[in-house]
Amino acid sequence: MTRVDCASTINSKLCDKFSVDRYPMLFWGPPKKFVSGGWVPKQGKSEIIPIESGRTADVLLGWINKQLGSSYSLDDGKYENEHLQTNTSDPGQIAKAIYDVEEATSTAFSIILDHKMIKPETRTSLIKFLQLLVAHHPSRRCRKGSADVLVNFDDLCPSSTMLVNNEEAESCSKNGVLENYQICGKEVPRGYWMYCRGSKNDTRGFSCGLWILLHSLSVRVEDGESNMAFRSTCDFVHNFFVCEECRQHFYEMCSSVSTPFKKARDFALWLWRAHNKVNERLIKEEASLGTGDPEFPKAIWPPKQQCSSCYLSPSKTSKENSKIDWDENEVFKFLVSYYGKELVTLYKESEQRGSGQTEKIVAEELVASTNAVVVPVGAALAIAVASCAFGALAYIWRSRQKNRKYKYIYSLKNI
């Protein structure tokens, strides 16, 4: 069962598609029908039907039990939160994160434009990071979109003009032609998170998606690119993060590196260590301020249940309880697998089926997107009675991206 808030702007198209004209409005039907189509009033042959027989929990529960041949009761509290999947315990969940990486990329680009961050002194760092995205972004459409921006960047934001004309520099960032470029395609940003969705509105989301992007880049670079990727990442964070404390902490870790990286492995492991240092800081902050996500508390990563081989055997571990002795060879293997192959599994499978199938797969993978909440029947009925926003049962993926021509960049890895 799914609840959709039709008062939320992001759900307006979905609710229009199902002709929601009153609250609460309840529908019943096979999940695949909600994914593939809508609902039309007085449509006789539709497998999706509005539930008109009662608005109380008891009456509605009796109606559902009759349809399913089941015997659910309102005290099925043991199923509460059964739908919540803890990302750290389910490696397969990372496959959904490819869409969050696209969301984070698009959001970061929007922040840069909205805050007018493209200036003469930051221009080069943005170009270098775009080069990194073109060569190694895990999403094909983000690679194309980044290439489109990069090919035209000199025309859009000429360095000679920016150095002498501050007004031109501002127009490059805001209310300029760069706003017409959708770095990950027309479907993005979608306005919600999948793998990175927190249990509270102000947790996870963008920061989670950005970390996954950086890790996915780190495991895709080649040895000869490792130091360039490291410097590009550090400069990007230093110039374009809006969180001052986050930016300073990250750049301090960057500044502590005195020897250039020669191996991709070294860069990937450095970023992994940096992420854990950030988590260590946030664990203390969230504990003192009470700002953490109760369903997704910050932790040292990866946990043993996800990579037991990453931890040295007890006989070899440090005697200090606060210190973990890692097998970094195993950690690197895990990073390459997790942020490489597993991250793009769902994405590549959906690409092979075509854009129409992509929409279907994503919708089926995440029935509970865009503020919708999936709950077991017993708990859902109580919510249904109290809520005035119980509507459709699925989220329809946005209209497929139209074909557009892209200019291609060759040999970007050597730039």
Side-chain angles (χ1 to χ4, degrees):
M1 298 187 73
T2 303
R3 181 189 61 183
V4 175
D5 182 3
C6 288
S8 177
T9 303
I10 197 172
N11 295 326
S12 58
K13 290 185 179 180
L14 172 64
C15 295
D16 287 345
K17 195 175 186 70
F18 283 83
S19 303
V20 176
D21 59 4
R22 61 188 181 276
Y23 307 105
M25 191 169 183
L26 300 93
F27 295 94
W28 178 271
K32 63 181 180 180
K33 294 298 179 181
F34 289 94
V35 174
S36 61
W39 176 79
V40 178
K42 300 180 181 179
Q43 186 180 32
K45 296 183 179 180
S46 175
E47 292 188 59
I48 299 174
I49 58 174
I51 303 176
E52 302 292 351
S53 55
R55 288 291 183 271
T56 66
D58 288 330
V59 174
L60 182 58
L61 180 59
W63 190 94
I64 291 175
N65 279 332
K66 183 177 180 181
Q67 302 300 314
L68 294 177
S70 58
S71 57
Y72 288 106
S73 62
L74 292 178
D75 60 355
D76 285 340
K78 63 181 178 179
Y79 299 108
E80 192 86 28
N81 293 327
E82 186 183 55
H83 65 288
L84 290 177
Q85 294 174 305
T86 304
N87 296 335
T88 57
S89 63
D90 184 359
Q93 288 291 302
I94 192 65
K96 297 177 182 178
I98 187 67
Y99 303 100
D100 291 344
V101 172
E102 293 177 336
E103 192 78 6
T105 304
S106 178
T107 301
F109 193 61
S110 296
I111 289 173
I112 290 171
L113 296 182
D114 291 342
H115 290 264
K116 302 178 182 178
M117 292 179 171
I118 305 177
K119 302 174 182 178
E121 62 271 22
T122 64
R123 184 178 182 276
T124 300
S125 64
L126 180 58
I127 290 174
K128 289 182 178 179
F129 195 72
L130 284 170
Q131 290 172 351
L132 190 59
L133 297 185
V134 172
H136 297 298
H137 199 293
S139 164
R140 180 170 168 267
R141 52 187 161 199
C142 291
R143 291 196 299 271
K144 284 185 175 183
S146 299
D148 204 14
V149 173
L150 191 55
V151 164
N152 295 285
F153 199 82
D154 279 337
D155 294 330
L156 302 174
C157 299
S159 57
S160 57
T161 306
M162 290 183 70
L163 289 172
V164 298
N165 191 334
N166 289 331
E167 185 177 342
E168 184 67 23
E170 285 196 3
S171 69
C172 175
S173 293
K174 184 67 178 172
N175 298 324
V177 284
L178 265 181
E179 285 192 322
N180 298 325
Y181 286 79
Q182 290 148 319
I183 199 166
C184 288
K186 293 182 178 180
E187 295 178 357
V188 186
R190 304 175 183 92
Y192 62 90
W193 305 93
M194 295 175 69
Y195 175 89
C196 288
R197 187 174 69 239
S199 64
K200 300 195 297 184
N201 290 335
D202 56 348
T203 59
R204 307 189 81 220
F206 177 60
S207 60
C208 168
L210 201 57
W211 271 117
I212 296 174
L213 170 62
L214 297 181
H215 284 299
S216 69
L217 295 173
S218 76
V219 300
R220 285 172 171 78
V221 299
E222 298 174 4
D223 288 346
E225 304 169 291
S226 57
N227 203 60
M228 177 276 293
F230 165 69
R231 294 284 12 138
S232 298
T233 300
C234 289
D235 289 344
F236 178 79
V237 170
H238 185 62
N239 288 313
F240 301 112
F241 265 32
V242 292
C243 169
E244 178 67 24
E245 184 180 5
C246 307
R247 180 170 67 242
Q248 291 300 328
H249 186 205
F250 195 90
Y251 204 70
E252 285 172 9
M253 292 187 289
C254 290
S255 301
S256 67
V257 177
S258 56
T259 305
F261 291 123
K262 295 182 179 179
K263 298 286 187 181
R265 173 185 182 277
D266 296 335
F267 173 45
L269 287 174
W270 175 86
L271 187 66
W272 161 72
R273 286 190 292 269
H275 195 169
N276 272 336
K277 286 180 181 178
V278 171
N279 278 348
E280 286 176 353
R281 174 174 63 83
L282 294 177
I283 287 172
K284 296 176 182 178
E285 288 184 6
E286 291 179 352
S288 62
L289 299 175
T291 56
D293 189 323
E295 296 293 339
F296 301 96
K298 293 289 186 297
I300 301 304
W301 192 90
K304 280 188 177 180
Q305 64 264 36
Q306 207 159 358
C307 182
S308 58
S309 62
C310 292
Y311 292 73
L312 292 174
S313 60
S315 60
K316 297 180 181 179
T317 55
S318 169
K319 294 180 181 180
E320 299 176 34
N321 293 330
S322 60
K323 187 178 184 302
I324 300 174
D325 280 351
W326 301 94
D327 186 332
E328 293 195 344
N329 289 326
E330 290 299 314
V331 171
F332 179 62
K333 290 179 185 177
F334 173 79
L335 293 173
V336 171
S337 173
Y338 195 72
Y339 291 112
K341 181 180 177 181
E342 290 186 39
L343 175 64
V344 299
T345 298
L346 176 65
Y347 183 78
K348 291 211 172 204
E349 286 178 357
S350 62
E351 265 196 332
Q352 291 171 0
R353 292 174 173 86
S355 58
Q357 284 293 322
T358 301
E359 297 167 6
K360 181 178 179 181
I361 289 171
V362 174
E364 290 175 346
E365 282 289 328
L366 187 69
V367 178
S369 63
T370 65
N371 300 325
V373 181
V374 179
V375 290
V377 172
L381 293 171
I383 295 173
V385 174
S387 170
C388 59
F390 192 136
L393 280 167
Y395 181 78
I396 309 300
W397 199 251
R398 289 193 175 190
S399 58
R400 67 183 61 183
Q401 183 182 9
K402 295 180 180 178
N403 293 329
R404 56 180 300 187
K405 294 182 179 179
Y406 288 91
K407 297 180 181 178
Y408 292 92
I409 297 177
Y410 297 94
S411 303
L412 276 173
K413 294 183 181 180
N414 297 320
I415 295 178

